[in-house]
Amino acid sequence: MTHFPNMETEQLYLRELTLSDREAIFKHFAEPDVTRFMDIEPCRDVKEAEEIIQFHMDDSGCRYGLFHKSDGEFIGTVGFHCWNQESPSKAEIGFDLSPSYWGQGLMQEALTAIIEIGWNKMNLDFIEATVEQENVRSQHLLNKLNFLKSTELVNNLFYYTLQKESVGTDIYPI
């Protein structure tokens, strides 16, 4: 199992999720607006939250909790799954944010940091994302980060790809 470094950005702390985060994950994923464009239903109990965390702990990628620096509040998650280490290496990025923090640039800040982990720690050649057609906020965000959108839908989803040479960032490992 690969361990990933804790990070901080201008407004956020990022650290890998652990089972001790189950209450925060439950509260977060119980919110229907958080899971609206995901392939899961809102959490009904803490056990389901534990299963989400365990899934990411067992997966080949990583999943970070996002904590706002101003008050330490848990506000979302970001990370990679489906990590294929064969050349060309790739992983799929996923992200979610509590609705009260939407529109503040926080997810762009978090994605910028996690993309650097993809390039520098995971040695990815490509980062992929899938987005439902109705999820215009995520589409807009990926466009801002220079992801390229496929011209055809696959399984009714838009597919996005980012190549390693496409971005540069400032993050602060902690």
Side-chain angles (χ1 to χ4, degrees), residues 57-82:
M57 290 172 62
D58 294 342
D59 190 43
S60 60
C62 60
R63 195 66 168 205
Y64 282 86
L66 304 177
F67 301 86
H68 203 281
K69 278 186 173 179
S70 66
D71 57 10
E73 173 108 12
F74 176 87
I75 64 169
T77 75
V78 64
F80 292 106
H81 56 277
C82 303

Side-chain angles (χ1 to χ4, degrees), residues 19-171:
L19 290 174
S20 66
D21 296 312
R22 64 182 148 273
E23 292 292 334
I25 291 291
F26 168 64
K27 181 181 172 191
H28 179 70
F29 284 106
E31 171 65 50
D33 283 339
V34 170
T35 60
R36 179 175 171 203
F37 297 115
M38 301 174 85
D39 59 357
I40 62 171
E41 294 296 318
C43 276
R44 294 180 304 256
D45 56 42
V46 174
K47 177 147 179 48
E48 287 182 354
E50 288 176 355
E51 290 169 1
I52 290 170
I53 295 167
Q54 193 64 53
F55 170 82
H56 289 296
M57 290 172 62
D58 294 342
D59 190 43
S60 60
C62 60
R63 195 66 168 205
Y64 282 86
L66 304 177
F67 301 86
H68 203 281
K69 278 186 173 179
S70 66
D71 57 10
E73 173 108 12
F74 176 87
I75 64 169
T77 75
V78 64
F80 292 106
H81 56 277
C82 303
W83 182 12
N84 177 358
Q85 298 181 47
E86 301 296 317
S87 184
S89 60
K90 62 183 179 177
E92 186 172 342
I93 200 164
F95 50 93
D96 48 80
L97 190 64
S98 295
S100 59
Y101 292 92
W102 292 356
Q104 300 176 31
L106 295 170
M107 189 51 72
Q108 182 174 352
E109 191 174 307
L111 284 174
T112 299
I114 200 74
I115 287 168
E116 284 299 310
I117 291 292
W119 300 149
N120 299 322
K121 176 82 173 164
M122 298 169 71
N123 297 312
L124 297 176
D125 295 311
F126 294 95
I127 297 172
E128 300 175 330
T130 57
V131 181
E132 289 192 21
Q133 296 176 61
E134 298 82 21
N135 192 346
V136 285
R137 294 177 82 82
S138 290
Q139 292 174 47
H140 179 70
L141 177 56
L142 293 172
N143 288 332
K144 284 171 89 173
L145 292 168
N146 298 318
F147 278 76
L148 297 177
K149 183 176 170 182
S150 66
T151 56
E152 295 182 25
L153 293 174
V154 179
N155 298 324
N156 241 6
L157 299 170
F158 288 120
Y159 275 70
Y160 286 81
T161 305
L162 184 66
Q163 285 187 291
K164 188 170 187 171
E165 299 80 34
S166 302
V167 296
T169 66
D170 291 322
I171 61 167

